[in-house]
Amino acid sequence: MKNDSRDIIYIHLQASERFALFSGMSFREFGHSTEVPLSNLLLLKHRYEEGEFNLNTLLEYVPEDRVKEILKEDVDEYGDFCWLDFEEESGLDELDGQEIAELLYLGHCKNHLRAPFFRKLKNQYVYLAHDDGWFNKLYYRTLDSYLHLIGNVLPLKLESVTIERTWLGKKKKSEIPKVPDGILSNLTPLMAEGLVLSFAKAQQTRQKIEIPGWVIGDYVNMDEMMESYKEMSTDHPHIQIIYYRKTKEWSIIKK
């Protein structure tokens, strides 16, 4: 059932605590969708073998100039894959025991003791995944950065269903712009209830692409989420996110 998650994206937004639960978004998709390219990554749980070691935290990290390498890794095979970004290694050296304990708790329990944004690290995200792409918990510093991320992830997810052929028969990808923040703001109440968007069920014509969505509720267990989605997806969708090819504009229709 985990392979099925590539065809959908499930989002349950907890805006008051600045995190969202996902299924169907991979680390690679995330890394190519952030507003600002990822900086250094402090690895909390992983199997990456090329990291640098920090003596103060006793944790490994990925320097900014090697982030492109880890984005190519099959991190879904790691089991747990948990990290947060940070600006300078000197910030790691300044962390005290309480802060290091909070980091270890994040990686071990995939939950926070306090808001997981550290002044010394200036992190924008905390990324906590199990079988990456199947269960992901993402903390974000600002709602704007979250909306920007979703606005870029949705066109990426569409790529697999919008590959077109040129007159020579070669495949080319459609250049679909990001979904504007204003459009996504209208979706946040539905994300707060647990929203699934299906790219496998997207309807295409020459004029537009329609992505159907269903509000299915709050799930931590993604097996249960997929069962609920499969039952509900036989009904008419609750929303359609529409991309108009000619004008390159997006809209949402709630049903």
Side-chain angles (χ1 to χ4, degrees), residues 97-107 111 113-116 118:
Q98 174 65 32
E99 291 165 323
I100 294 170
E102 290 176 23
L103 290 171
L104 296 177
Y105 186 85
L106 278 168
N111 208 347
L113 291 171
R114 294 188 297 181
F118 298 83

Side-chain angles (χ1 to χ4, degrees), residues 33 63 80 86 97 129 135 160 177-178 203 210 215 219:
S33 299
D80 287 334
F86 65 95
F135 173 89
S160 62
K178 73 182 290 288
Q203 299 295 313
E210 297 180 327
V215 177
Y219 290 92

Side-chain angles (χ1 to χ4, degrees), residues 11 16 78 156 177 246 253:
I11 307 171
S16 62
Y78 290 5
L156 272 184
K246 185 174 181 180
I253 296 176

